[in-house]
Amino acid sequence: MPDLFAASATPADLMAARVQMAVSLGWHIIVACFGVGMPVLTVFAEWRGYRTGDDAYVRLAHRWAKVMGVLFAVGAVSGTVLSFEMGLLWPELMATYGQVFGLPFALEGFAFFIEAIFVGIYLYAWDRLSPRAHVLSGLPVCVAGVASAFFVVSANAWMNTPRGFDLVGGRVTHVRPWAAMFNPAMPLQVIHMILAAFMVTGFCIAGVYAVGMLRGRRDRHHRLGFLIPFIAAAIVTPVQVVVGDALARHLATAQPPKLAAIEGLTRTGSHVPLSVGGVFVDGELRYAIHIPNALSLLVGYRPSTVIQGLDMVAPADRPPVNPVHLSFQLMVAIGFGLLVLSAWFALAWWRRRDLPRSPWFLRLSALSGVGAVLALEAGWVTTEVGRQPWVVWQHMRTADAVNPAPGLWAGLLAVLAVYAVLTVATAYVLNRLRTRPVTAPQEEWADEALDAGTGTAREHGP
Amino acid sequence: MTAAQWLLVIAWLGITAYALLGGADFGGGFWDALAGGPQRGSAQRGLIEHAIGPVWEANHVWLIFVLVLFWTCFPLVFASVASTLYIPLTLAAFGIIARGAAFAFRKASTELWQLRLFGGAFALSSILTPFFLGTVAGGVASGRVPLGITRGHIVESWLNPTSILGGLLAVGTTAYLAAVYLTADARRHGSVELAETFRRRGLAAAVVTGLLVLGGVAVLRADAPRLYAGLTGRALPVAALSALAGVVSVVLLIKRRYVLVRITAALAVAAVLWGWAVAQYPVLLPPGGTVSRTAAEPGVLRATLATTIVGLLLLVPSLIWLFALFQTQRPTR
Ligand code: HEM
């Protein structure tokens, strides 16, 4: 069967590989955000409960720890799938550049190790450790979660600004792994991602309690369950807008065609307006609102700043404009929406130490989590689609990285089915956890089964 | 030794840790599947859940550790294996999703139908995942994965006698290790009855796996002559050590020396992996993929080795604490 070993994948297989990567990554990134943000909120609640003796905090910590257990497990396995897919779908990328951007992944392996070990201890040892030691055992989880995000996103940033190697006669040599890891796009992209993780976690959890409060459950448990995550997210939001702005400015020099696609800018020039909304048809951005000179001002602080348009690169090297432009608009719109919501809360809190009275505040807060997740996904579309047609910016095309094996579309169908089932099951289990009475988070039915089987009676933990 | 050799040894130690620890977690799922109806099997399932609950995620990370070490330090080997064997690896990835998710979902469940549904998914995927990983090992060991992107046959590379042997051996050893480890856990929980159950199962698994190995010798001789020559040549002492440790384990199980048998059983399994490595060294992907030909640049290897050493300094004490914490009886309050 010589045709089995055709040198390159069909366009359909390439598309299948890209969709498979997008779906599994887009899925994982949501739970990964909770992996970064949730331990911090949970350990904080536990620590407050331990310090103040306030039972409401303790119950929140117990509840969140259970949710964290489920989310960490699905995060761990969906993340493993991604590391498989790097090789299964993009073997040429790994064969050529694996050694260049592998170091952050190796580091992330250790961060993930520490996270998994201490998650095991944190979730299962509530009654084996003193309260103080238990709170402390949660801290490595918090640190390792943020560190993982840092390492993984620095590898992604390398794909945007590849550094740390020389090309001699088409071969990669003189690899400098630290220079690759600390590439120019890394700092801002990493910060933007970590802040996004805290926004997603904070607004999502706050949203759950906002729904409860709208249904009339206004007790202290719900109030704290809303306040802790909401305040965390609200503090992060303004910073996120500033970082996002800096990131866009960085694109003007690092990846001008990406910025051009974000803005739907076809022609290079000065006095470039900022385009809000609109769609890209027949090579032009239509129906957009143009704010005169604004893009030039945002990038270079004066109207005469020249911004490169799509015309600076050959048509074959341009990213598709609509997905990039529209997803960027969505991310920014949601970012500003969440900023307004946070400001509303801050104002009410400053005036009366209480939530805004209007039911619209809770209604919007209930939706804020969905909004943050949408912004997260839109951000990834901006970054990833905006980098096309390259997988490694101006060095390797996505089409050249893909596995030439036949039948990748069959793999895609299977992956879609698996993730559909996983989504339904995860949502179902999380919803059950929401409605069940709170108990201490260590072993449950297993304890009873084992005790019944061995005839030992044991009192349950706190 | 060069940095590449050190990293290879560390990666192989990672594979060994994954087999001995992560493998036993899969084996727990195997016995969960055979534990019987919800009434009769509930104590066994409770014991299994207890044993693997706090540690399976940490044990699972060994796999990721090995993957990233290979793709950073031996990128072409990683890419060749992943591209040629993408079918069994995709199936193993699905198994990994199903096992981990179903296990966590079952822990969060209370009703019988949920426990059965998620428990079933957990048990089935605990058997299929090591099987597919074993076929991958068999494909590599029998030289069916040449160096290069998708150079091997995408079906025959993992549907062949050595791969099937590898798959069955993987299931057998995981079940065997789990049964052995669970005997001591059961005794610590004060249940002679459960300990006896897993002792019988451990003995059965030992016999079945032992027969598989003996039959496997004939399979390798016919299907993977190069590996066979290595195993009966340079690697013979390691293979003999595995056999000896296997026999001693059976004796110890019969004598109910549950803590000692953990060590010998682990040794028997580890020696199989190291026997394979010794037989094949310095070739990673037969015939031409040697260590020196496939290793990354020296700068990369040095950086990775340094970070790995620092990482292990953090990791090992944490792991020891994790296991020590859950291998002792809970303080009663
Ligand atoms: C409101 C102002 C915002 C601006 C100006 C902004 C700007 C940007 C830009 C320019 C990129 C592309 C980076 C690249 O390709 O190198 C990006 C990516 C991204 N954005 Fe935003 N963003 C904003 C808000 C948000 C919000 C609210 C979230 C989520 C809660 C978010 C999540 C992301 C993510 C996850 C990425 C991709 C990963 C990364 O670059 O870190 N952004 N953003």
Side-chain angles (χ1 to χ4, degrees):
Chain A
M1 283 189 281
D3 60 322
L4 268 187
F5 310 111
S8 64
T10 63
D13 275 341
L14 171 62
M15 203 51 190
R18 288 181 58 188
V19 174
Q20 178 174 334
M21 198 70 200
V23 169
S24 43
L25 202 130
W27 203 96
H28 173 73
I29 191 168
I30 302 175
V31 274
C33 282
F34 282 90
V36 175
M38 202 139 183
V40 177
L41 297 179
T42 310
V43 172
F44 176 78
E46 191 198 356
W47 172 72
R48 291 292 297 161
Y50 158 59
R51 285 296 295 272
T52 61
D54 186 338
D55 191 46
Y57 283 112
V58 178
R59 290 193 337 172
L60 279 176
H62 282 174
R63 170 91 77 194
W64 293 349
K66 280 216 178 109
V67 174
M68 207 170 102
V70 171
L71 288 177
F72 189 76
V74 290
V77 295
S78 59
T80 308
V81 171
L82 291 179
S83 61
F84 274 59
E85 282 173 344
M86 294 291 280
L88 303 178
L89 301 177
W90 316 108
E92 289 286 1
L93 168 69
M94 301 316 289
T96 312
Y97 290 107
Q99 58 171 323
V100 185
F101 74 138
L103 185 65
F105 284 108
L107 287 163
E108 130 78 11
F110 281 106
F112 184 32
F113 236 132
I114 297 292
E115 212 178 336
I117 291 170
F118 285 93
V119 159
I121 293 173
Y122 188 75
L123 294 183
Y124 283 84
W126 292 72
D127 52 352
R128 287 174 189 259
L129 296 172
S130 69
R132 193 188 148 82
H134 189 259
V135 169
L136 288 178
S137 79
L139 292 183
V141 184
C142 303
V143 174
V146 173
S148 302
F150 165 55
F151 295 133
V152 172
V153 178
S154 54
N156 181 270
W158 177 84
M159 293 158 74
N160 284 321
T161 49
R163 295 292 138 83
F165 63 95
D166 298 334
L167 277 181
V168 178
R171 273 183 51 91
V172 171
T173 60
H174 302 109
V175 180
R176 300 173 297 280
W178 294 108
M181 188 173 151
F182 290 88
N183 60 78
M186 185 274 279
L188 287 175
Q189 239 194 292
V190 164
I191 297 172
H192 200 53
M193 181 68 236
I194 292 173
L195 297 182
F198 281 100
M199 288 180 70
V200 165
T201 317
F203 285 123
C204 280
I205 303 180
V208 172
Y209 289 90
V211 172
M213 288 165 88
L214 280 170
R215 291 187 183 152
R217 289 194 285 273
R218 300 247 172 185
D219 48 274
R220 191 167 159 72
H221 177 79
H222 277 80
R223 201 180 138 81
L224 285 176
F226 177 84
L227 281 176
I228 298 173
F230 189 92
I231 291 176
I235 292 173
V236 167
T237 303
V239 188
Q240 181 72 315
V241 174
V242 174
V243 174
D245 170 58
L247 196 52
R249 196 167 311 117
H250 152 86
L251 289 183
T253 46
Q255 295 178 293
K258 192 189 258 183
L259 184 65
I262 282 176
E263 290 298 326
L265 181 67
T266 34
R267 273 174 298 278
T268 306
S270 63
H271 302 270
V272 180
L274 186 72
S275 310
V276 180
V279 277
F280 201 71
V281 215
D282 300 331
E284 283 302 327
L285 190 65
R286 304 256 171 95
Y287 320 114
I289 301 165
H290 297 289
I291 307 172
N293 294 338
L295 188 60
S296 287
L297 278 171
L298 278 174
V299 169
Y301 309 112
R302 62 172 80 123
S304 59
T305 310
V306 175
I307 311 283
Q308 296 186 27
L310 289 167
D311 56 358
M312 292 300 283
V313 288
D317 293 348
R318 293 176 194 165
V321 174
N322 272 327
V324 181
H325 176 66
L326 293 176
S327 51
F328 181 78
Q329 305 284 309
L330 181 68
M331 167 175 63
V332 174
I334 293 173
F336 278 107
L338 294 172
L339 185 68
V340 170
L341 190 71
S342 307
W344 188 2
F345 171 83
L347 195 69
W349 193 260
W350 176 58
R351 287 235 202 95
R352 319 180 270 113
R353 298 271 136 198
D354 201 2
L355 303 181
R357 282 205 199 91
S358 160
W360 277 103
F361 175 74
L362 283 180
R363 283 180 203 145
L364 289 173
S365 299
L367 292 175
S368 63
V370 182
V373 170
L374 281 177
L376 169 82
E377 298 289 354
W380 270 106
V381 172
T382 309
T383 298
E384 295 292 293
V385 180
R387 196 186 59 236
Q388 301 305 321
W390 306 101
V391 64
V392 180
W393 180 250
Q394 292 181 339
H395 281 84
M396 179 182 265
R397 281 169 202 277
T398 314
D400 296 331
V402 71
N403 190 347
L408 292 188
W409 58 269
L412 169 65
L413 293 183
V415 163
L416 291 179
V418 168
Y419 277 81
V421 174
L422 186 62
T423 309
V424 172
T426 309
Y428 176 79
V429 169
L430 288 180
N431 194 44
R432 296 264 320 162
L433 283 181
R434 184 176 64 81
T435 49
R436 260 186 29 213
V438 192
T439 51
Q442 57 279 106
E443 301 90 333
E444 310 230 303
W445 62 267
D447 256 353
E448 284 150 36
L450 190 56
D451 292 348
T454 56
T456 50
R458 187 191 302 133
E459 270 189 49
H460 284 272
Chain B
M1 262 169 57
T2 63
Q5 286 166 326
W6 276 113
L7 283 159
L8 188 63
V9 168
I10 294 175
W12 210 255
L13 284 173
I15 290 189
T16 311
Y18 184 58
L20 297 181
L21 301 167
D25 296 338
F26 285 118
F30 182 94
W31 298 119
D32 194 296
L34 297 191
Q39 281 299 312
R40 210 161 52 85
S42 77
Q44 285 176 39
R45 295 203 171 92
L47 181 70
I48 293 167
E49 168 104 12
H50 244 284
I52 70 183
V55 295
W56 75 267
E57 279 159 325
N59 292 342
H60 170 76
V61 186
W62 285 112
L63 176 63
I64 305 201
F65 174 78
V66 171
L67 287 181
V68 296
L69 270 192
F70 268 100
W71 93 38
T72 309
C73 304
F74 303 95
L76 191 55
V77 172
F78 174 77
S80 309
V81 172
S83 57
T84 291
L85 292 166
Y86 86 96
I87 298 174
L89 284 171
T90 302
L91 294 171
F94 290 162
I96 286 169
I97 296 188
R99 194 279 299 249
F103 184 76
F105 293 163
R106 180 171 76 168
K107 178 172 143 50
S109 301
T110 43
E111 280 158 41
L112 184 60
W113 70 267
Q114 298 168 340
L115 295 178
R116 290 175 91 160
L117 178 71
F118 293 137
F122 160 66
L124 188 67
S125 52
S126 294
I127 300 171
L128 290 179
T129 310
F131 179 80
F132 288 120
L133 291 176
T135 65
V136 169
V140 173
S142 59
R144 288 182 166 93
V145 184
L147 210 56
I149 308 302
T150 330
R151 287 284 171 72
H153 196 289
I154 58 168
V155 177
E156 284 162 22
S157 58
W158 62 282
L159 270 185
N160 60 71
T162 308
S163 282
I164 302 296
L165 174 71
L168 294 176
L169 261 183
V171 177
T173 44
T174 55
Y176 167 60
L177 287 175
V180 165
Y181 296 170
L182 284 168
T183 51
D185 287 335
R187 189 159 65 187
R188 206 180 51 246
H189 283 287
S191 172
V192 177
E193 194 192 322
L194 276 179
E196 284 300 309
T197 309
F198 283 109
R199 170 172 168 269
R200 278 195 304 278
R201 299 191 160 169
L203 286 169
V207 171
V208 172
T209 314
L211 289 177
L212 259 178
V213 171
L214 288 181
V217 174
V219 172
L220 290 188
R221 191 172 167 176
D223 190 58
R226 210 172 310 134
L227 180 65
Y228 178 82
L231 279 175
T232 51
R234 181 165 37 157
L236 193 60
V238 192
L241 176 68
S242 173
L244 180 70
V247 173
V248 172
S249 308
V250 170
V251 175
L252 289 174
L253 260 188
I254 291 175
K255 295 189 146 185
R256 297 191 175 77
R257 303 290 299 273
Y258 295 150
V259 176
L260 263 188
V261 70
R262 284 186 164 180
I263 297 167
T264 55
L267 187 64
V269 174
V272 172
L273 287 171
W274 284 86
W276 172 23
V278 170
Q280 212 179 287
Y281 187 83
V283 179
L284 296 181
L285 289 183
T290 57
V291 175
S292 52
R293 235 186 103 185
T294 56
E297 287 206 349
V300 177
L301 297 174
R302 277 195 302 270
T304 314
L305 187 59
T307 47
T308 305
I309 291 170
V310 175
L312 286 172
L313 289 179
L314 284 175
L315 183 65
V316 171
S318 312
L319 271 177
I320 291 175
W321 191 38
L322 173 73
F323 285 113
L325 201 55
F326 294 103
Q327 282 293 322
T328 50
Q329 194 54 276
R330 198 187 305 194
T332 36
R333 299 196 168 199

